[in-house]
Amino acid sequence: MASPILDLTKAPIKSYVYAKTNIGGWFFDAILQATHTSQLTITQHPVQSGSSISDYAYMQPRTLSLNIGMTDVAKSFIPGQFSGGSSRSVQAYQVLLQLQQMRIPVQVYTRLGLYQNMLVETLTVQDDNTTTHGLRCTVDLSELLVATVEVVKISANPAVTDSAKKGTQQPKQVPSSILQTLANLFNGKAS
């Protein structure tokens, strides 16, 4: 089987990729159910009054669960998709399995929004007498959080040096007149 990674900028995928639910440009016969999960994790510790609340809460990776349906008797929405195997339903499962095994983030479009950098986390298929000529599969996808880190060098010289010459340090004798003045201050006597 060819690579399941599709070019979303080529026709005819290009004209539908943002109009119909798809997983990386693969259009399934039916999306029976879509479950979208977006979760904010909030600290359980006390927060000081006046501090920035955004420092104490962060977004978890979004998850998406699609319950898809495929049949062997229909034609593909995009000509040529899911062809070349023993049946369309088996080929659709193979595509999903390859996307999962390759661990390459894909774009997923649904009616409620666009998801970038999604990985196929779990595939759940019930195969029984009702799916002899079809496929019913639950595809659980999770967002891969991507960050860009940049290191900025601010000086060619190190901030701290261990090789600084400090010289020889010698104790000095304090004159007796200063010692007597200090003793008087501590004893409550003024000079």
Side-chain angles (χ1 to χ4, degrees):
M1 183 179 163
S3 174
I5 306 303
L6 301 176
D7 184 352
L8 304 181
T9 62
K10 288 190 175 179
I13 295 172
K14 178 181 175 180
S15 57
Y16 297 110
V17 76
Y18 296 113
K20 182 170 171 31
T21 299
N22 67 88
I23 299 173
W26 292 95
F27 296 86
F28 299 90
D29 292 343
I31 303 298
L32 305 169
Q33 181 179 3
T35 305
H36 305 256
T37 304
S38 179
Q39 180 180 353
L40 179 68
T41 298
I42 304 167
T43 184
Q44 298 300 308
H45 302 288
V47 177
Q48 183 173 347
S49 177
S51 63
S52 175
I53 297 302
S54 64
D55 291 343
Y56 300 96
Y58 60 92
M59 292 298 298
Q60 292 288 343
R62 295 183 301 169
T63 60
L64 178 63
S65 182
L66 298 175
N67 192 347
I68 64 164
M70 289 293 291
T71 178
D72 292 337
V73 298
K75 288 186 177 182
S76 293
F77 183 74
I78 301 292
Q81 282 195 345
F82 310 116
S83 62
S86 60
S87 69
R88 288 180 71 248
S89 59
V90 171
Q91 198 65 17
Y93 177 70
Q94 291 301 318
V95 165
L96 291 168
L97 197 57
Q98 271 193 311
L99 287 173
Q100 182 185 41
Q101 291 170 347
M102 290 176 72
R103 298 176 203 91
I104 295 176
V106 294
Q107 171 181 294
V108 179
Y109 178 79
T110 70
R111 182 180 73 82
L112 296 181
L114 178 66
Y115 293 81
Q116 299 285 356
N117 301 317
M118 299 298 281
L119 291 171
V120 177
E121 187 172 12
T122 308
L123 293 173
T124 306
V125 177
Q126 179 181 340
D127 198 21
D128 58 23
N129 65 328
T130 64
T131 58
T132 303
H133 300 287
L135 172 72
R136 186 174 178 140
C137 179
T138 301
V139 183
D140 295 318
L141 299 117
S142 185
E143 181 180 30
L144 180 64
L145 297 177
V146 178
T148 303
V149 178
E150 186 175 335
V151 177
V152 178
K153 190 170 186 176
I154 57 173
S155 173
N157 300 321
V160 177
T161 60
D162 291 332
S163 61
K165 295 181 182 175
K166 299 176 184 172
T168 306
Q169 296 180 358
Q170 297 290 332
K172 290 190 176 189
Q173 186 69 32
V174 177
S176 61
S177 61
I178 293 176
L179 289 174
Q180 185 60 43
T181 303
L182 289 173
N184 289 339
L185 286 173
F186 284 113
N187 294 330
K189 299 177 187 174
S191 54

